[in-house]
């Protein structure tokens, strides 16, 4: 038996000489036959028998945790920067004295839409099949819409990077519209799930992602060498983004508070720490920005803080989503509350 | 649709917890083992539905009598063989960006393993926590309602193996009639807590009805079922609306930020 063959039979206790591997699940590739329970349940050696809990099933998870790895929140950030800079690039089109800034934006949009798909592919269970993302267009799936937007915007961004101010109206408006979609669809994507934390926040997430995209774009640009005129543009754009981001975060916490389990999932564990870090970085970024001095150092510090905040925020959303899925009572209570009306 | 919709009706009142369905499913579909361990939770060492576990029997030892029953001590079992619900409005299917998840000619929900690229979106979109991505395989897997067997006109392996016919397979219309009759019979005998979970759109508007529905003897939470599941796409219009507004906001911010009174257009 070849190695590949023996791998296929792992965990199935069947002789390939006697049985045909043609069952619906036979194609499942198994490297380790008996994975440990993955931390889902402690083994009986360590815990006494569990008594039935009154309100749920032994406190076992009702939903599956998101399986996404670090590259997905990293993409959320990259996509935000790409989308924000695409929009800004379109708005800067033809402004002669801001040409350098426009080019920075075009470059960022191109970079984000190039690295973004790589990050997303890295998370795929079957990386070689990444092109299947464009196999169909399924309007009911924000991920499908997002994949097409990302691909389209990537092309537009490459074009406008090459053509600069000479690019036509189609490229210009295409980049802007595509950029806006890329910046915001991720919020819809998280809201459009069965995860109680994300679902309860579904009307705030798109606004959060959109405003945070503007803030992150400005954050990156602020860390670059800018002249006075450019600095002003970036600062204005970033301030709107940061204010929006802060407002959305406050609104989210208030919204969470209506279901104690949702608030707990958002507050506790890794997600909670990251959320607090995001808040702290955002607020200090705003404060530094408001200091009544003008210096490149101040600008760079503010940009760095905003960037750190935006990255922490995206990781916080994923981690708290995991926590919310682990706790069955979160799902149950959200639904029971809704049923009561 | 040439063939009528088929599904499962799982009558938990006659389940004896033998796990024949779990074994039959693993055997027929040639699914790998999940590992040997004891969970400490009654006889349930399977714990949950998984990429490699497409039937799961839940065990609850209740210190209370079932109404209409006489036992020497207050005790009753809650046993339920859980499975993918093959929802009428399936969260997994509506979320799948590759078109790997399709509705078959039997109106069941099927993941095509040769298309799935393991993006993991269906995992967070199933309101029942059924489908999952297997780490080393990389793809999402779940019950196929024995698509291969159905194509040959035989019933799914679990239903075939069930010794008490707790798992009934058939045309959806027949199953619904059967479930109604069974419910009335149980109520007549005094088991008044019996009820039907997810049989039709009226029972479960969030999913518009399940193609694998259940007769339960307790609240859904007791079996780790959600009380009021909703397909995620219901309510997504609002999110898109908010996104559109926010997008308009960002466009306005960009235009305002780049606007200069001096007019430096050339
Ligand atoms: S129960 Fe989950 S996996 Fe099964 S059809 Fe419904 S949404 Fe899909």
């Amino acid at each position: 038996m070849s190695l590949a063959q023996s791998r296929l039979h792992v965990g199935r206790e069947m002789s390939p000489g006697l049985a045909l591997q043609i069952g619906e699940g036979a194609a499942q590739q198994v490297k380790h036959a008996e994975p440990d329970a993955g931390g889902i349940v402690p083994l009986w050696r360590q815990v006494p028998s569990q008594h039935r809990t009154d309100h749920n099933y032994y406190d076992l998870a009702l939903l599956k945790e998101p399986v996404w790895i670090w590259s997905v929140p990293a993409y959320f950030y990259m996509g935000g920067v790409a989308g924000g800079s695409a929009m800004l690039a379109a708005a800067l089109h033809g402004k002669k004295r801001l040409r350098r800034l426009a080019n920075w934006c075009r470059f960022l949009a191109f970079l984000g839409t190039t690295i973004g798909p790589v990050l997303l592919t890295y998370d795929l269970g079957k990386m070689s099949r990444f092109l299947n993302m464009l196999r169909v267009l399924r309007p009911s799936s924000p991920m499908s819409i997002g994949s097409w937007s990302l691909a389209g915007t990537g092309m537009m961004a490459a074009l406008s990077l090459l053509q600069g101010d000479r690019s036509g109206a189609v490229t210009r408006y295409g980049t802007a519209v595509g950029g806006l979609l890329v910046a915001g669809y991720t919020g819809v994507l998280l809201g459009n799930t069965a995860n109680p934390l994300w679902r309860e926040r579904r009307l705030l997430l798109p606004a959060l992602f959109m405003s945070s995209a503007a803030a992150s774009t400005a954050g990156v640009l602020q860390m670059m060498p800018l002249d006075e005129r450019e600095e002003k543009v970036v600062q204005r754009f970033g301030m709107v983004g940061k204010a929006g981001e802060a407002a959305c975060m406050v609104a989210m916490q208030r919204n969470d508070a209506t279901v104690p389990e949702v608030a707990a999932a958002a507050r506790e564990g890794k997600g909670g720490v990251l959320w607090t870090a995001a808040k702290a970085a955002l607020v200090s970024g705003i404060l530094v920005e408001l200091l009544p001095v003008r210096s490149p150092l101040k600008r760079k510090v503010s940009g760095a803080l905003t960037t750190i905040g935006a990255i922490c925020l995206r990781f916080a959303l994923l981690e708290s989503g995991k926590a919310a899925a682990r706790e069955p009572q979160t799902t149950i209570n959200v639904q029971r509350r809704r049923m009561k009306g | 649709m040439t063939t009528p919709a088929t599904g499962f009706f799982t009558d938990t009142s006659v389940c004896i917890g033998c796990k024949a369905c779990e074994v039959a499913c693993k055997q027929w579909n040639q699914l790998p083992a999940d590992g040997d361990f004891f969970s400490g939770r009654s006889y349930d060492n399977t714990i949950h539905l998984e990429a490699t576990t497409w039937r799961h029997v839940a065990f609850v030892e209740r210190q209370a009598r079932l109404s209409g029953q006489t036992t020497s001590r207050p005790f009753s079992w809650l046993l339920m063989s859980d499975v993918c619900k093959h929802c009428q409005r399936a969260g997994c299917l509506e979320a799948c960006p590759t078109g790997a998840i399709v509705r078959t000619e039997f109106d069941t929900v099927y993941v095509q393993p040769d298309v799935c690229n393991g993006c993991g979106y269906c995992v967070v979109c199933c309101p029942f926590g059924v489908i999952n991505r297997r780490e080393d395989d990389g793809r999402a897997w779940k019950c196929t309602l024995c698509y291969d067997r159905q194509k040959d006109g035989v019933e799914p392996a679990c239903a075939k193996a069930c010794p008490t016919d707790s798992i009934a397979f058939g045309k959806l219309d027949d199953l619904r009639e059967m479930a109604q009759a069974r419910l009335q019979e149980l109520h007549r005998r005094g088991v008044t807590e019996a009820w039907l979970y997810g049989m039709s759109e009226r029972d479960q508007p969030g999913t518009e009805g399940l193609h694998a529905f259940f007769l339960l003897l307790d609240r859904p939470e007791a079996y780790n079922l959600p009380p009021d599941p909703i397909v995620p796409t219901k309510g997504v219009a609002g999110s898109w609306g908010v996104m559109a507004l926010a997008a308009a906001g960002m466009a306005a911010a960009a235009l305002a930020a780049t606007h200069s009174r001096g007019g430096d257009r050339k």
Side-chain angles (χ1 to χ4, degrees):
Chain A
M1 213 191 328
S2 74
L3 186 69
Q5 244 185 332
S6 64
R7 277 224 175 132
L8 199 68
H9 298 285
V10 169
R12 293 190 174 87
E13 313 289 336
M14 55 188 281
S15 153
L18 295 172
L20 292 176
Q21 284 264 339
I22 51 169
E24 286 280 8
Q28 243 185 59
Q29 303 283 323
V30 183
K31 292 189 191 104
H32 33 85
E34 300 190 344
D36 58 24
I40 307 153
V41 270
L43 303 193
W44 69 282
R45 283 179 219 89
Q46 292 143 23
V47 289
S49 285
Q50 300 293 304
H51 279 293
R52 129 167 229 254
T53 43
D54 248 348
H55 35 279
N56 60 31
Y57 189 71
Y58 304 105
D59 271 330
L60 291 170
L62 193 153
L63 295 175
K64 292 281 178 282
E65 268 179 54
V67 291
W68 294 326
I69 58 169
W70 63 268
S71 63
V72 171
Y75 160 73
F76 287 167
Y77 170 74
M78 286 305 284
V81 172
S85 0
M87 180 61 232
L88 201 56
L92 287 167
H93 184 93
K95 305 229 187 251
K96 220 174 162 195
R97 277 184 277 182
L98 291 166
R99 186 171 287 166
R100 188 174 63 156
L101 184 63
N103 280 334
W104 271 121
C105 288
R106 292 191 186 109
F107 176 69
L108 281 179
F110 171 75
L111 196 72
T113 48
T114 310
I115 298 181
V118 176
L119 287 170
L120 287 180
T121 302
Y122 187 63
D123 173 70
L124 290 183
K126 285 251 179 254
M127 292 189 219
S128 57
R129 294 188 184 166
F130 74 98
L131 271 181
N132 279 9
M133 281 297 183
L134 304 180
R135 184 175 165 267
V136 295
L137 172 67
R138 189 163 268 173
S140 65
S141 167
M143 193 180 275
S144 177
I145 296 181
S147 304
W148 282 100
S149 318
L150 187 59
T153 313
M155 266 158 51
M156 294 283 181
L159 264 182
S160 70
L161 180 66
L162 288 174
Q163 297 177 324
D165 269 352
R166 279 167 291 130
S167 57
V170 176
T171 320
R172 204 162 94 223
Y173 293 114
T175 321
V177 172
L180 291 173
L181 267 170
V182 169
Y185 90 88
T186 40
V188 183
L189 184 145
L190 287 187
N192 179 51
T193 59
N195 188 291
L197 180 84
W198 296 341
R199 199 184 149 76
E200 284 304 292
R201 293 168 161 187
R202 69 185 179 283
L203 293 182
L204 291 166
L205 280 166
L208 177 73
F209 273 81
M210 194 69 86
S211 49
S212 179
S216 335
T217 305
V220 175
L221 289 171
Q222 278 183 317
M223 290 190 278
M224 316 243 192
L226 301 175
D227 66 25
E228 199 179 333
R229 195 183 290 269
E230 293 166 338
E231 186 178 328
K232 225 182 228 154
V233 171
V234 172
Q235 198 177 31
R236 279 191 245 158
F237 188 57
M239 260 313 189
V240 177
K242 276 178 263 196
E245 191 179 335
C248 287
M249 285 176 83
V250 171
M252 245 170 213
Q253 283 193 335
R254 290 203 168 178
N255 185 47
D256 292 350
T258 49
V259 184
E261 287 76 13
V262 171
R267 217 176 26 237
E268 281 154 21
K270 254 193 264 177
V273 173
L274 285 162
W275 179 265
T276 313
K279 268 199 299 196
L282 176 67
V283 170
S284 40
I286 295 178
L287 289 180
V288 170
E289 181 102 62
L290 292 177
L291 287 181
V293 281
R294 225 201 123 241
S295 87
L297 180 68
K298 172 198 127 179
R299 193 185 72 220
K300 283 181 188 162
V301 169
S302 160
L305 284 169
T306 311
T307 304
I308 294 170
I311 294 175
C312 286
L313 175 67
R314 283 151 179 82
F315 278 87
L317 288 172
L318 178 62
E319 288 303 328
S320 323
K322 287 186 185 171
R326 267 193 298 268
E327 170 57 60
Q329 218 52 47
T330 315
T331 309
I332 293 167
N333 287 2
V334 166
Q335 297 185 2
R336 281 283 172 210
R337 204 162 299 240
R338 188 170 63 219
M339 287 164 88
K340 263 189 240 150
Chain B
M1 197 77 29
T2 44
T3 36
T6 54
F8 288 129
F9 163 50
T10 308
D11 176 359
T12 68
S13 68
V14 288
C15 178
I16 52 170
C18 70
K19 302 193 196 180
C21 51
E22 280 189 22
V23 176
C25 176
K26 283 253 182 201
Q27 289 287 306
W28 177 263
N29 293 303
Q30 300 180 335
L31 289 162
D34 297 319
D36 290 325
F37 64 88
F38 291 101
S39 73
R41 286 157 177 84
S42 188
Y43 293 74
D44 184 1
N45 296 315
T46 314
I47 292 298
H48 51 191
L49 291 170
E50 253 299 343
T52 45
T53 308
W54 300 348
R55 269 274 178 196
H56 157 233
V57 183
F59 289 78
V60 178
E61 302 173 28
R62 266 195 329 180
Q63 309 303 322
R65 280 188 193 88
L66 216 53
S67 55
Q69 280 190 357
T70 40
T71 46
S72 57
R73 267 189 283 157
F75 182 83
S76 58
W77 278 105
L78 292 182
L79 302 160
M80 181 200 67
S81 178
D82 198 6
V83 71
C84 165
K85 303 352 176 241
H86 296 272
C87 317
Q88 178 69 33
R89 284 280 305 273
C92 60
L93 188 153
E94 293 183 4
C96 177
T98 63
I101 307 185
V102 293
R103 196 159 295 275
T104 68
E105 62 268 39
F106 309 108
D107 243 7
T108 56
V109 179
Y110 180 70
V111 191
Q112 305 173 81
D114 54 337
V115 180
C116 173
N117 68 3
C119 74
Y121 197 29
C122 54
V123 177
V124 283
C125 285
C126 169
F128 298 93
V130 170
I131 193 165
N132 207 358
R133 179 166 94 180
R134 181 168 170 116
E135 209 175 295
D136 46 7
D137 175 79
R139 288 168 290 180
W141 296 88
K142 70 167 192 70
C143 160
T144 67
L145 225 146
C146 275
Y147 185 49
D148 52 348
R149 289 174 67 98
Q150 279 208 65
K151 271 195 293 193
D152 285 342
V154 280
E155 67 178 320
C158 54
K160 184 89 213 166
C162 179
T164 64
D165 259 350
S166 167
I167 302 174
F169 166 81
K171 292 183 197 138
L172 217 47
D173 295 335
D174 299 350
L175 290 178
R176 288 191 181 127
E177 252 169 62
M178 190 174 159
Q180 295 281 16
R182 175 69 184 156
L183 184 70
Q184 272 166 21
E185 166 71 8
L186 281 174
H187 282 186
R188 197 181 53 76
R189 286 206 231 154
V191 189
T192 45
E193 55 267 74
W195 66 291
L196 296 172
Y197 177 82
M199 184 176 77
S200 63
E201 186 176 354
R202 234 195 37 240
D203 307 327
Q204 202 174 89
T207 59
E208 299 184 3
L210 308 173
H211 290 210
F213 58 96
F214 301 83
L215 183 145
L216 302 180
L217 299 170
D218 202 338
R219 290 165 310 153
E221 299 90 300
Y223 303 89
N224 220 3
L225 290 171
D228 183 26
I230 283 194
V231 62
T233 32
K234 289 200 174 186
V236 74
S239 306
W240 283 118
V242 170
M243 196 205 105
L245 282 179
M250 195 210 272
L255 289 174
T258 54
H259 181 78
S260 49
R261 253 154 291 137
D264 63 352
R265 263 196 162 264
K266 239 170 236 179

